[in-house]
Amino acid sequence: MSCIFCRIVDGDLPSRTVYESSEALAFLDANPLTKGHTLVVPKDHYETVGDLPPEAAGAVFEAVSAVTPRVEAAVDADATTVAVNNGEAAGQEVPHTHVHVVPRFEGDGNGPIHRLFSARPSLSDAELDDIAAAIRDVEV
Ligand code: 5GP
Ligand code: ZN
């Protein structure tokens, strides 16, 4: 099996596990963005958020909700950025869904997720209506 996060879940690769439930696992990121940077993964292999069945999606967010205050307390963080790089074009490097829980500190200068996006589109009300309708109408 080549997926590194599946191998971590299976215990074939070492990890600094910080939280575990029946369907989710949380462990420290090997290359932390800040101290305490933690990853939360479903134990089963799903590549992207949209691939998660409802039980796994629930289990992952339950684990995120449980682990985030623990991470904040452990490293005395003021906040956390909780984020997913969902798909290769969004920067996902490990193709096993994972939620980043990144501790944040007053004045750390790293900014909000909004800072990732330099050129915002200017959309009319009609265009926004069309986009909302298009999203509603997709059959999955
Ligand atoms: P992505 O870019 O896919 O959202 O993030 C992948 C994350 O996984 C990166 O932050 C990277 O540091 C982390 N990572 C990659 N390989 C390993 C590993 O073998 N062990 C752990 N604990 N983290 C890893
Ligand atoms: Zn996997």
Side-chain angles (χ1 to χ4, degrees):
M1 183 194 300
S2 59
C3 172
I4 50 175
F5 289 173
C6 282
R7 292 174 68 196
I8 285 174
V9 168
D10 290 346
D12 295 337
L13 278 181
S15 75
R16 292 184 172 86
T17 295
V18 298
Y19 183 86
E20 184 167 14
S21 67
S22 58
E23 288 190 62
L25 186 73
F27 50 88
L28 293 188
D29 193 293
N31 289 293
L33 294 172
T34 65
K35 64 179 179 182
H37 181 179
T38 296
L39 302 174
V40 181
V41 306
K43 285 188 173 175
D44 290 334
H45 183 92
Y46 301 105
E47 187 163 337
T48 64
V49 168
D51 295 329
L52 291 167
E55 316 78 58
V60 167
F61 212 80
E62 223 171 79
V64 168
S65 160
V67 86
T68 297
R70 289 171 164 87
V71 169
E72 289 180 358
V75 299
D76 205 18
D78 299 305
T80 33
T81 294
V82 177
V84 178
N85 294 322
N86 192 42
E88 208 174 327
Q92 182 177 1
E93 291 183 353
V94 178
H96 179 134
T97 299
H98 50 283
V99 179
H100 293 263
V101 178
V102 186
R104 298 296 304 273
F105 303 89
E106 289 294 346
D108 67 16
N110 291 313
I113 287 175
H114 296 64
R115 204 182 279 172
L116 288 172
F117 303 90
S118 49
R120 297 188 190 200
S122 174
L123 297 167
S124 66
D125 282 347
E127 287 171 311
L128 291 168
D129 288 344
D130 286 349
I131 293 164
I135 294 170
R136 282 195 298 271
D137 290 348
V138 172
E139 302 218 0
V140 286

